[in-house]
Amino acid sequence: MKHPFWTLLTIAALLPGTSKAQDDTTDGSEVIPRYDVEIIIFKNSKAPKSREFVLPVSSPGKTEPMLDLASPESVSAARKQGYELLPSSEFRLIDEAMRLVESPRYELLAHLAWRQPGVEREAAIPLWIRGGRIYGKEYMSIDSRIGVDGRPIEAPDNTGSAGNLNFDEQSLEALELQQLEQQPGPQTTHRGLYELEGKITIALSRYLHTYADLVLRRPRVSTDPLLNEPVEDEYVATISPDARILNNHSLREHRRMRSKTLHYLDNPEFGMLVLITPHEVAEGFEEAPVENDTGADADS
């Protein structure tokens, strides 16, 4: 596509400038390394549009603390922990991004960079990312139709026969409340859904690690057998007759990384480029080698 959405590509340049963290130490004496992280996320516009069965997958859930680019308070709090959004003038992957923009096969969804300390995963702050198009009120996330265990949410049975359930105003309100309570992830009501959403965590233990938990939302092209429930279909038709369901295509991966090396994570629908570059490394600090980039163990 020739007109990608550039919201996240420019957001770092529009935000107020950040300064170096006041303290680069964990206890006042141990200097920890700092890294510049740059990511590009893009979708495959030519992905096969078959009637392939797609398992229902929930959107990633938010945790605290978190660096949410849409929240100035979150950005400010993360800055105190040594996280700084970098302006586009410091991007290293401009050429790679432009090639994606000019390609008819791919569409750029997000391009951003930040600076952070190299800390263990427990102390690392995830970055919450949104990108791509924003779906309107005529769309519903698949999140609203599945429970936390990945199975369809059952409607309250007021008749003793789910197949003959007659909805009234009270049962509709109860079902909607049940869905909201059982779904801990992002809001699934009709407030606009981003095409791309999720979180990325960069951590350093013996190795550099990237943890990605992202979803790409795309309209369903066929009915999934596991979700073909008459009760739920009647519910959706009642509260939103024109609703279209958005499937979540998930990219959940853990990868060991080597600094100054471009890494690629993907699934058939979308992919991500990651470049981690040392910014300040303590004297005597040696990065552990990564024997095989593609052989990193998965972490669920």
Side-chain angles (χ1 to χ4, degrees):
M1 301 245 341
K2 299 298 182 180
H3 302 285
F5 293 86
W6 291 89
T7 302
L8 292 181
L9 176 61
T10 58
I11 190 170
L14 296 177
L15 289 171
T18 56
S19 59
K20 184 179 180 294
Q22 295 179 355
D23 189 359
D24 282 349
T25 65
T26 56
D27 58 5
S29 59
E30 181 184 356
V31 179
I32 61 176
R34 289 165 57 81
Y35 292 91
D36 291 349
V37 183
E38 185 171 354
I39 63 168
I40 292 175
I41 304 176
F42 57 94
K43 72 176 181 180
N44 182 4
S45 301
K46 304 295 184 181
K49 293 180 174 55
S50 63
R51 300 181 64 86
E52 179 183 3
F53 171 62
V54 179
L55 288 172
V57 177
S58 298
S59 294
K62 284 189 173 181
T63 57
E64 294 295 340
M66 177 171 286
L67 174 51
D68 186 344
L69 298 181
S71 168
E73 294 81 6
S74 174
V75 173
S76 177
R79 187 182 303 132
K80 296 177 182 178
Q81 301 298 320
Y83 286 73
E84 309 173 23
L85 294 174
L86 299 179
S88 57
S89 59
E90 297 191 37
F91 287 2
R92 294 179 169 90
L93 301 178
I94 295 294
D95 291 341
E96 288 78 0
M98 291 307 301
R99 283 198 288 270
L100 290 169
V101 170
E102 295 169 355
S103 171
R105 183 180 179 86
Y106 303 107
E107 181 177 337
L108 185 64
L109 297 173
H111 184 190
L112 64 156
W114 68 95
R115 185 167 296 147
Q116 70 164 78
V119 294
E120 296 277 353
R121 186 182 184 188
E122 293 74 16
I125 300 178
L127 185 79
W128 189 262
I129 295 176
R130 302 177 184 86
R133 64 174 292 188
I134 301 178
Y135 291 101
K137 294 182 178 181
E138 69 273 17
Y139 289 91
M140 291 183 64
S141 171
I142 193 70
D143 295 345
S144 64
R145 305 192 69 193
I146 56 177
V148 295
D149 57 358
R151 294 181 299 179
I153 298 174
E154 295 181 1
D157 189 348
N158 296 331
T159 66
S161 173
N164 297 320
L165 178 59
N166 294 318
F167 281 88
D168 55 28
E169 185 175 354
Q170 184 176 1
S171 63
L172 285 175
E173 290 177 356
L175 180 55
E176 187 168 8
L177 178 61
Q178 180 188 18
Q179 291 185 335
L180 293 176
E181 289 177 345
Q182 294 194 35
Q183 177 55 43
Q187 293 290 332
T188 58
T189 52
H190 295 183
R191 298 179 184 175
L193 293 163
Y194 281 85
E195 185 176 16
L196 170 71
E197 194 162 18
K199 57 190 174 183
I200 296 173
T201 307
I202 306 297
L204 176 67
S205 51
R206 183 181 178 187
Y207 305 95
L208 278 168
H209 297 260
T210 294
Y211 300 87
D213 187 1
L214 304 165
V215 292
L216 180 71
R217 297 185 174 107
R218 282 190 166 178
R220 291 169 59 188
V221 295
S222 60
T223 301
D224 294 333
L226 287 182
L227 298 179
N228 187 16
E229 296 287 340
V231 171
E232 304 231 358
D233 290 340
E234 186 175 351
Y235 166 63
V236 173
T238 302
I239 66 169
S240 183
D242 299 325
R244 301 175 65 185
I245 303 299
L246 296 172
N247 268 337
N248 288 332
H249 298 270
S250 177
L251 176 58
R252 291 176 179 167
E253 189 168 348
H254 164 212
R255 181 78 63 83
R256 291 203 308 261
M257 301 255 159
R258 175 183 286 276
S259 66
K260 298 184 288 187
T261 300
L262 187 61
H263 294 261
Y264 177 50
L265 292 74
D266 78 321
N267 73 13
E269 298 288 338
F270 69 116
M272 179 171 71
L273 299 176
V274 183
L275 177 65
I276 304 177
T277 308
H279 178 66
E280 294 177 359
V281 178
E283 184 177 353
F285 177 84
E286 294 184 4
E287 182 182 344
V290 177
E291 297 179 359
N292 186 350
D293 172 41
T294 60
D297 27 56
D299 185 7
S300 56

